[in-house]
Amino acid sequence: MPTPQPDASRSPGNRTTPDDLLHARTGTEVSPEDVVLASGKDLTPRNLEWAKRKIAAEGPAALDKLLP
């Protein structure tokens, strides 16, 4: 039984995800919670402190580096 295509409007040979779907940040501030969740970690005080240090060192790119 064939599996239905998630987006029938795409051509079968085009499996590339459009660039506008790859970026999650919308120009808003990056929070420590965002960084922790993007890293796949639990929201714990220790992980939030880690994320605060990462944001202080890398700025908003801290989140961008964790996302595809």
Side-chain angles (χ1 to χ4, degrees):
M1 175 181 229
T3 306
Q5 293 292 326
D7 184 0
S9 65
R10 284 175 143 184
S11 65
N14 184 6
R15 295 181 183 257
T16 305
T17 303
D19 192 47
D20 62 331
L21 296 178
L22 293 175
H23 301 284
R25 196 157 45 92
T26 61
T28 59
E29 286 294 316
V30 174
S31 72
E33 290 85 359
D34 294 335
V35 174
V36 170
L37 293 174
S39 70
K41 298 178 181 182
D42 292 328
L43 287 173
T44 64
R46 182 178 177 184
N47 290 340
L48 289 170
E49 286 302 317
W50 165 80
K52 288 176 188 175
R53 290 191 305 273
K54 188 167 180 65
I55 292 169
E58 300 175 16
L63 182 61
D64 295 335
K65 292 177 180 180
L66 293 170
L67 298 173

